[in-house]
Amino acid sequence: MIDVVHDMQAVFRKLLHSMSRPGEVSTLKSTIAHTDRWSCHEATYLTILTLFDAEVSFHIVSNKQKKNLEKQIAEYTLARNAPIDEADFVIVLQGTKEQTILEAMGTCKIGNLLDPQHAATWIVENERIVQEGNLILSGPGIQQQTTIQLDISDSIIQARNERIKEFPLGIDMILTDAKSQVLCIPRTTTIVLKGGTQ
Amino acid sequence: MVTWRQVTMNLEGGRGMMNRRRRTEILIQGNSDLAREFAEHIMEHYPYREVMSPRYGLTMIKMRETAKNSLFHLGEVLVTEAKVEIKQQIGIGIVIGMKEELAKHLAIIDSAFKANLKETKEWEERLLEEEESILTEKIKKQTELLETRVQFETMDM
Amino acid sequence: MGYVAVKGGTEAIEASLKRLTYERLRGREVIEIKTIQSTMRGLIDQVMSEASLYEPNLAALAIKQAEGSMEEAVFLLRAHRSTLPRLYYSQTVETDRMFVERRISASFKDIPGGQLLGATSDYTHRLLDFQLIHETKEAIEQWLTDYEQERSPKLPSKNLIYFSKVVDYLREEGLFTEHEVDNTPPDDITKKSLEFPASRSERLQTLTRGQTGAVTSLGYASLRGYGQVHPTVGEVRVGMVPIYVAPPNETTEDQENDYYIGEVKITEVESFVPVTKNYNQQENDLEFEIGYGICFGQNETKAIAMSILDQCLEHPEASFPTHDEEFVLLHIDSVESTGFISHLKLPHYVTFQSKLDSVRGVKQEVRKNAK
């Protein structure tokens, strides 16, 4: 059962914290009974339940069957399923092929100069998020720099960097993992690969 | 002179399909004990899961204006919404106002209909009875209001 | 005098808030929400309409908390609205499905269905009723029992009447232009701020939640000559309209599958305005146009005034302020106008100092020159 007041607000506070402190890992906890059958990470569906409502649209990026999850999200949150170039939220399920993600990355919304907020927010699943690793983050909300390790490939990071070039246009990302951890990378954050360039 | 051509709803209207539109009209306009009774029966006999406990939200009212026949938003009305799952069918209860209980009962009844539970067939008679008493009540109220109808008399000058 | 940053006042503010509570409580009287709800119909309707949120209980609570201050009650309700998720959009509401409680026409004596006065203060003497000072619950019960008994228990008819709109009859006679059904999705001023020129849907949404006094004043100004619209009221109707919601995530268009969610009370007005139409240079033809007014609850003055302003704004070519949509639409919102006026109470120490400085400078200059 969804307890909007307690669970969702706690999740929202954590997401907000992670979004304002890019690279800092938070763990989402809920009292939601695990009888709910969700074919995604707990951190993913908690984020979805917290951020989605009837006013937003979403698109799932996956190579597997995704009809059930689409239906479930729509039923629980009233959000609309939409094509990738219209979706307010893009959800990448774990195990999705790099090529599929790159294609979505290339076509998703990044806002326009009048309304930069009309951009897609990405929710990307990882097996494991690690604080400290090969990605160097810097920018607002980060003192000097911080490093993290994700499962997603370097070329996806490069594609993301490509799409945030023209600030204030760009995409914001929420990374989730199997251990209910989340980490955020807003469009203001610069990502550099260790030993490489942007 | 223009003639009388009122649209009316008739007490002897009757039967027909008990679809969701009609069912929710009866359950919300009628006595809320009916929804409680139906819902409690289902809760006793079937496993159910509260997907969304009753919560408050808004519904934006979309209207058609009669000057240019165009659409606009009138404003929002507060509603209570609940969602319940029975046999993998998620039912929704939505009602204007702050009515947690009724919203939950409506959600249970909605999922019962979606899951095609046998009870729903047995409810039809009760729903029709309630529909009739709602209509009678409305006609009574309208009759009272019609007492304020003006009877013009033409004056001889 | 230099710029000095100041802080403080926390304790004074806390004491002031306490004082506010004291003022509300010192009479040692409790007013129940349900008392407000059942006795302050007009106030509640006005608060709901200006707040653009229909919920009589919360409106009554806002009135109690605001100690009857309209602007404060509207502000409270508007603020509360912003904390709630918008779950649904209704199916298009059409007012010919209204359960009519009052319906009159100033244009025609014999409207089909008749003139239904309903409950109105239009025919009262406006003499203060001093008996109300000593009104008791028993007296209320007695009055209600008598009223019940006056009426015959028999149902004269088996039919419930839905009153047709007066304009429909006139359209059928060809006296009014029949407009094609326009299903353009309406804009929403709660999601996107007004930009000019505004769309018709934005204008209507702004007008319907305008402050009653402001809408009335501007409508009146137009009537008195600061505008070109002087209408005849074609129909005023007050009653309950049913609200339906389409099932989310179901693709069927079948309305039989909709959820009925309840009803809301509204006032709706169509005003008839004669307009000269110039067809081919020489020929001037007289035609009628309709001004449309509507609001939550029963508030006929506001709805009629809105219908005047609607018609004014449809004709921006007239050079009156009441025909200027920027002038009308940006100044009638209760929260915006009262908010901007009352912000003047906030410290403007620095800006005012700089104004003083310039005045002092000018005066010195003048004195110097005078010597």
Side-chain angles (χ1 to χ4, degrees), chain B residues 7 9-10 19-20 25 29 58 60 62 64 66 68-69 73 76 81 96 110 142 144 148 150, chain C residues 54 81 85-88 90 93 118 151 159 161-162 171 179 183 244 256-257 259 261 270 314:
Chain B
V7 181
M9 226 171 102
N10 199 295
N19 47 50
R20 187 191 281 137
E25 278 175 349
Q29 290 174 8
L58 303 167
M60 176 53 99
K62 191 173 67 177
R64 184 176 303 287
T66 43
K68 297 261 158 60
N69 252 334
H73 291 119
E76 287 158 315
E81 186 209 39
I96 286 179
D110 193 45
Q142 188 164 71
E144 292 164 18
T148 68
V150 184
Chain C
Y54 194 95
R81 175 217 161 261
R86 183 183 291 172
L87 303 173
Y88 297 100
S90 79
V93 176
R151 288 171 295 178
N159 292 323
I161 307 164
Y162 290 103
R171 287 215 169 102
H179 290 274
N183 284 329
Y244 297 88
E256 298 301 308
N257 249 331
Y259 290 89
I261 64 170
E270 282 114 12
E314 283 290 318

Side-chain angles (χ1 to χ4, degrees), chain A:
Chain A
M1 190 178 100
I2 299 167
D3 184 337
V4 177
V5 177
H6 298 104
D7 288 332
M8 301 300 103
Q9 287 193 5
V11 171
F12 184 76
R13 292 300 314 175
K14 292 218 168 137
L15 286 173
L16 194 63
H17 177 81
S18 278
M19 200 53 102
S20 51
R21 298 270 170 231
E24 227 171 82
V25 176
S26 312
T27 307
L28 304 183
K29 277 264 175 295
S30 91
T31 52
I32 292 181
H34 290 275
T35 47
D36 297 47
R37 302 159 301 271
W38 287 87
S39 54
C40 59
H41 293 330
E42 185 188 33
T44 307
Y45 73 73
L46 285 178
T47 302
I48 288 171
L49 292 178
T50 302
L51 298 183
F52 287 21
D53 66 16
E55 298 290 328
V56 304
S57 59
F58 68 92
H59 184 88
I60 299 177
V61 178
S62 170
N63 303 110
K64 290 184 222 136
Q65 204 263 96
K66 56 185 186 184
K67 276 272 171 298
N68 283 337
L69 187 60
E70 282 170 357
K71 182 163 171 266
Q72 196 170 15
I73 291 173
E75 271 179 345
Y76 274 68
T77 68
L78 300 173
R80 255 174 324 107
N81 189 12
I84 180 72
D85 56 333
E86 288 171 23
D88 299 317
F89 287 90
V90 177
I91 304 160
V92 182
L93 298 181
Q94 203 185 307
T96 304
K97 289 193 191 105
E98 181 186 293
Q99 191 50 38
T100 317
I101 301 177
L102 286 175
E103 273 163 27
M105 188 74 79
T107 39
C108 75
K109 290 197 298 191
I110 57 167
N112 59 60
L113 289 170
L114 261 185
D115 293 299
Q117 76 278 15
H118 292 171
T121 300
W122 282 58
I123 301 171
V124 184
E125 289 197 333
N126 287 258
E127 175 56 34
R128 210 163 146 235
I129 297 170
V130 186
Q131 192 105 55
E132 290 188 15
N134 67 332
L135 299 176
I136 306 165
L137 310 186
S138 62
I142 304 168
Q143 197 153 29
Q144 310 298 346
Q145 60 179 50
T146 186
T147 66
I148 55 165
Q149 175 89 49
L150 303 170
D151 299 343
I152 53 179
S153 71
D154 294 350
S155 48
I156 293 172
I157 298 290
Q158 271 156 4
R160 176 264 177 195
N161 286 345
E162 201 53 45
R163 301 239 55 194
I164 60 145
K165 256 184 181 163
E166 236 182 296
F167 187 81
L169 309 188
I171 57 171
D172 307 299
M173 295 175 91
I174 300 169
L175 292 314
T176 62
D177 79 3
K179 287 190 168 157
S180 297
Q181 300 193 107
V182 290
L183 175 153
C184 297
I185 307 177
R187 67 187 79 175
T188 50
T189 302
T190 308
I191 310 180
V192 182
L193 299 167
K194 227 176 218 173
T197 47
Q198 280 207 12

Side-chain angles (χ1 to χ4, degrees), chain A residues 1-2 36-37 75-76, chain B residues 49-51 53 83 85 90:
Chain A
M1 190 178 100
I2 299 167
D36 297 47
R37 302 159 301 271
E75 271 179 345
Y76 274 68
Chain B
R49 207 165 54 85
E50 244 182 290
V51 171
S53 47
K83 289 181 190 170
E85 185 177 325
I90 295 185

Side-chain angles (χ1 to χ4, degrees), chain C residues 27 32 57 67 115 133 144 165 171 186-187 190 224 241 243 249 270 272 286 288-289 294 312 334 353:
Chain C
E32 299 284 342
N57 278 295
E67 297 179 76
Q115 310 252 3
I133 296 173
L144 289 172
K165 312 275 312 203
R171 287 215 169 102
D187 297 317
T190 67
R224 282 201 64 256
V241 285
I243 311 291
N249 314 311
E270 282 114 12
F272 301 157
L286 203 59
F288 281 104
E289 286 186 353
I294 190 166
C312 287
S334 174
Q353 276 308 328

